[in-house]
Amino acid sequence: MDTMQVALLQAIPDLATSINSSLDDLNGWNCCIHCRKEIKRMNLELLGKPFRPLPTCKCVVEIEREKQQAQEREERKRRLKTAYSKSIMNDDLVNARLSNFTIRPGTEVAFDKACKYLKTWAESKLGMLMFGQPGNGKSHLLRGIEYELDAAGYATLFLDWPQLTVLAKDSLNKGSKVSLTDIIKSACEVDFLVLDEIGAGALTEFEFKDILFPIVNGRQGKKTGWTTNLDLNRLGNWFLQDRNGKFLDQDGRLLDRILGGCEIVENKGTSKRREDALRRLQG
Ligand SMILES: [Zn+2]
């Protein structure tokens, strides 16, 4: 090796040989000290002279990639912990499972689709949007799916939309321990997110631009579950303008993106809460 080659090899640390190979033979095959596989020198020319750097072994690249992925996972977990100590859901949903769902008239198809969705979740590219009357078990079914995915080791979040908007607003206060960026980023990063009770209350411009839009945008290619009491027409109107009549999703692009990424399920059950109340009334 002449001095020029030595200098060049030192100047290009990624291609340098010493960490990679046990043999430093410029012409022959070299053996990776990690996986013992043979690696062949590249045959280049530099400034008119042969230049034969040794490429980094694939196994080293793979180790580095895994290290980086683990670091990123840790970072995501840390952000998730800061932004959400736990999912935000009403108390009655904490123990909701697909296994303890009571099938009532009208809920059969929705229940069946929820179970099938869970079974094929890993292969499916679609989220699930479930709509229907208030109190008929939509949130219970989506929470059931989310719970099972969480138990299977996926990163999941179940967020009640009205409570999420409060959390996001509070994050703007001075002294808030959580930043809006962390809230949005974490919601974007989980493998499965449920936004529960979309369409409750009129949207504000802040909620649309700073919460909903960045979450939908940031979750492209990821699966999201949605529940809403509104049918699709009324949901379109909910996205259309804020409570003061100012246009938000005027051309319907955001809603289109949501619907396009979801299996749409109508839960045709009537309100269980109302039925329970009636039953109590009648003794
Ligand atoms: Zn190797």
Side-chain angles (χ1 to χ4, degrees), residues 121-169:
W121 187 84
E123 300 93 63
S124 168
K125 286 190 163 43
L126 293 177
M128 175 174 276
L129 183 142
M130 195 178 286
F131 70 97
Q133 285 187 28
N136 70 1
K138 298 179 297 296
S139 305
H140 186 129
L141 292 174
L142 266 295
R143 163 62 177 153
I145 294 169
E146 185 265 340
Y147 172 83
E148 296 300 337
L149 292 174
D150 175 56
Y154 291 103
T156 68
L157 262 181
F158 187 102
L159 301 176
D160 174 78
W161 170 253
Q163 293 183 54
L164 172 63
T165 63
V166 173
L167 184 75
K169 264 172 239 160

Side-chain angles (χ1 to χ4, degrees), residues 15-163:
L15 298 177
T17 60
S18 54
I19 50 153
N20 251 336
S21 101
S22 53
L23 263 170
D24 195 10
D25 174 358
L26 272 183
N27 295 310
W29 286 82
N30 293 267
C31 180
C32 169
I33 54 168
H34 300 287
C35 69
R36 315 305 300 169
K37 251 199 203 136
E38 283 179 327
I39 20 179
K40 202 181 181 187
R41 287 189 175 282
M42 291 194 259
N43 213 343
L44 309 174
E45 205 184 272
L46 206 69
L47 304 171
K49 297 201 169 183
F51 174 48
R52 314 205 59 202
L54 192 64
T56 306
C57 178
K58 277 190 189 126
C59 84
V60 175
V61 175
E62 185 59 25
I63 290 167
E64 280 306 312
R65 203 177 58 86
E66 274 169 16
K67 239 194 247 167
Q68 202 184 336
Q69 280 180 344
Q71 252 171 27
E72 281 168 8
R73 255 199 312 274
E74 279 309 304
E75 182 62 19
R76 275 207 302 271
K77 266 196 215 153
R78 188 201 59 76
R79 256 204 304 273
L80 191 62
K81 254 195 179 156
T82 331
Y84 303 99
S85 53
K86 57 179 176 16
S87 285
I88 315 174
M89 66 181 80
N90 296 320
D91 292 343
D92 56 346
L93 287 174
V94 174
N95 297 316
R97 308 282 181 267
L98 291 179
S99 57
N100 61 21
F101 184 78
T102 311
I103 301 170
R104 296 173 305 109
T107 64
E108 302 90 342
V109 174
F111 174 70
D112 194 44
K113 288 197 168 168
C115 294
K116 280 193 185 127
Y117 178 75
L118 176 64
K119 244 182 231 162
T120 57
W121 187 84
E123 300 93 63
S124 168
K125 286 190 163 43
L126 293 177
M128 175 174 276
L129 183 142
M130 195 178 286
F131 70 97
Q133 285 187 28
N136 70 1
K138 298 179 297 296
S139 305
H140 186 129
L141 292 174
L142 266 295
R143 163 62 177 153
I145 294 169
E146 185 265 340
Y147 172 83
E148 296 300 337
L149 292 174
D150 175 56
Y154 291 103
T156 68
L157 262 181
F158 187 102
L159 301 176
D160 174 78
W161 170 253
Q163 293 183 54

Side-chain angles (χ1 to χ4, degrees), residues 90 93 127-145 158-162 192-200 224-232 235 238-239 258 262-263 265 267:
N90 296 320
L93 287 174
M128 175 174 276
L129 183 142
M130 195 178 286
F131 70 97
Q133 285 187 28
N136 70 1
K138 298 179 297 296
S139 305
H140 186 129
L141 292 174
L142 266 295
R143 163 62 177 153
I145 294 169
F158 187 102
L159 301 176
D160 174 78
W161 170 253
F192 187 62
L193 170 74
V194 178
L195 283 181
D196 190 31
E197 302 284 356
I198 275 286
T224 308
W226 307 80
T227 76
T228 178
N229 297 336
L230 307 178
D231 63 33
L232 298 187
L235 191 62
W238 186 75
F239 276 87
I258 294 172
C262 277
E263 181 181 347
V265 178
N267 183 339

